[in-house]
Amino acid sequence: MAAHQPLLISIVGPTAIGKTALSIKLANHFNAEIISADSRQFYKEMHIGTAAPSASELKAAKHHFIKHLSVENYYNVGDFERDAIAKLKTIHSTHDVAIMVGGSGLYVDAVTKGLDNLPKVDFSIRDELNATLIDDGLEVLQFRLKKLDPRGYDRIAIANPKRVIRALEVCISSGKPYSSFLRDTNKTRYFKTISIGLTAQRPIIYDRINQRVDMMMVEGLLEEVKLLKPQQDLNALNTVGYKELFKHLNGEWSLDIAIREIKKNTRRFAKRQMTWFKRDENTIWFDYNANIDDIVEAISKKI
């Protein structure tokens, strides 16, 4: 393959579907290193609740962007795009193939397609929009966006409050529609990307999620969250598995309710992940328990 363009194999799919296990098998087959595009696994204090690779999994293949930051660090998708492309260049200088694995769709797209060149925003506008979300609900923000930028309204994940607020803050800060900053073509990358998706019937995905949450609790997720309670207002910790247990620790919910909410919110997250990843018609989809040889064969054909 040396004479060909360097290759990035991107593994996507919903949470708890088996992406980590597949990435290690493919890394060993192709003599490749792994880049994590799971934005929650960047933080060293968040191990159990993010299902970060275990010590034996980290030993089985070389990983990058796993527990390399503190929750105190501000790190966004633009930072990741820059750092991941630099890391890929280093990997590709000695390896033909690199693997990227993760369920954070925006972070995957940042590496494979590039980010839109959005303007800087006034953070006070973001604070104001977040306050509106809490006081008046998402529909008020959706209505405002539809008025300011109908095209943008049609293009973003309108059920996701973060996306709606992001679009609105750009509209308000710049005085221009958010959609005017969106590129219609992807950035040109020096490498070829082959995207492999893992999926299953919805009841199986949900069952795997429920089992994983139960296992996290057995492994000590509550203790992990207790240690992070003094930092509970940090953005990195406003995430499924942590925010529900903070509510329990703050006396708002019983532990049973918190666990039930983690399962429910993780299932919702998995549904949003599948909606995001299914948009890419170039992804080759496999059942979660597909034979590794079939996946390798599909990749080899693409190469």
Side-chain angles (χ1 to χ4, degrees):
M1 231 192 87
H4 297 284
Q5 197 177 7
L7 178 66
L8 176 66
I9 299 169
S10 173
I11 303 168
V12 301
T15 191
I17 199 70
K19 298 185 294 295
T20 297
L22 175 61
S23 71
I24 291 167
K25 287 177 186 174
L26 290 178
N28 290 329
H29 179 86
F30 287 103
N31 181 33
E33 296 179 13
I34 299 171
I35 279 183
S36 172
D38 186 321
S39 61
R40 292 160 23 111
Q41 292 179 0
F42 296 165
Y43 300 104
K44 58 190 174 190
E45 301 92 340
M46 299 165 67
H47 178 73
I48 298 169
T50 63
S54 64
S56 60
E57 287 171 330
L58 291 172
K59 215 171 169 181
K62 189 165 183 181
H63 287 71
H64 303 276
F65 301 100
I66 297 282
K67 295 195 277 189
H68 67 299
L69 297 170
S70 166
V71 290
E72 300 281 355
N73 296 130
Y74 178 75
Y75 193 78
N76 63 25
V77 67
D79 298 324
F80 177 69
E81 179 188 15
R82 178 197 65 228
D83 294 345
I85 295 297
K87 180 58 71 179
L88 281 171
K89 284 179 178 170
T90 303
I91 294 170
H92 281 142
S93 68
T94 52
H95 298 71
D96 291 330
V97 181
I99 312 280
M100 181 168 69
V101 59
S104 303
L106 190 62
Y107 284 71
V108 172
D109 283 359
V111 173
T112 58
K113 301 172 183 176
L115 289 174
D116 297 302
N117 298 312
L118 297 175
K120 286 189 175 176
V121 300
D122 182 341
F123 287 113
S124 65
I125 293 171
R126 181 176 300 172
D127 293 341
E128 189 188 311
L129 292 169
N130 276 311
T132 302
L133 176 66
I134 293 163
D135 295 340
D136 304 321
L138 181 58
E139 279 185 23
V140 171
L141 296 176
Q142 290 170 335
F143 179 75
R144 194 171 172 190
L145 179 62
K146 193 170 190 178
K147 224 163 116 179
L148 287 174
D149 184 10
R151 185 166 170 259
Y153 178 89
D154 289 336
R155 286 186 64 172
I156 70 163
I158 205 67
N160 186 326
K162 281 185 182 173
R163 301 280 175 268
V164 175
I165 286 171
R166 182 69 176 129
L168 271 174
E169 67 187 14
V170 168
C171 289
I172 297 162
S173 291
S174 67
K176 296 177 183 175
Y178 170 75
S179 56
S180 68
F181 296 98
L182 302 182
R183 287 176 293 101
D184 291 316
T185 55
N186 298 332
K187 283 184 187 172
T188 303
R189 296 300 193 201
Y190 73 87
F191 51 83
K192 174 185 173 75
T193 299
I194 295 174
S195 183
I196 300 296
L198 287 183
T199 190
Q201 294 294 319
R202 191 170 289 179
I204 293 172
I205 295 173
Y206 288 178
D207 188 50
R208 287 173 70 88
I209 286 168
N210 292 340
Q211 286 182 40
R212 175 182 272 184
V213 173
D214 288 337
M215 185 54 66
M216 285 174 172
M217 295 306 297
V218 170
E219 288 172 352
L221 178 58
L222 183 58
E223 286 67 33
E224 181 172 276
V225 176
K226 276 178 186 169
L227 291 173
L228 290 165
K229 190 170 179 284
Q231 298 154 295
Q232 64 185 291
D233 294 327
L234 292 175
N235 191 48
L237 291 166
N238 182 24
T239 188
V240 178
Y242 293 83
K243 60 184 182 182
E244 295 87 356
L245 288 175
F246 287 139
K247 286 200 171 186
H248 164 64
L249 294 172
N250 291 331
E252 295 176 51
W253 287 346
S254 70
L255 185 57
D256 284 348
I257 289 173
I259 293 169
R260 199 164 69 229
E261 287 297 309
I262 293 171
K263 290 176 179 177
K264 183 180 80 179
N265 290 332
T266 306
R267 292 193 297 266
R268 283 178 175 168
F269 176 56
K271 198 175 171 187
R272 290 199 303 271
Q273 286 175 305
M274 287 306 292
T275 301
W276 182 288
F277 292 128
K278 287 285 187 183
R279 296 180 316 160
D280 187 345
E281 51 200 33
N282 295 316
T283 298
I284 310 164
W285 289 95
F286 289 91
D287 189 72
Y288 75 106
N289 57 10
N291 189 303
I292 184 70
D293 294 336
D294 294 337
I295 296 174
V296 167
E297 188 185 341
I299 293 168
S300 301
K301 279 181 183 171
K302 277 273 189 182
I303 294 169

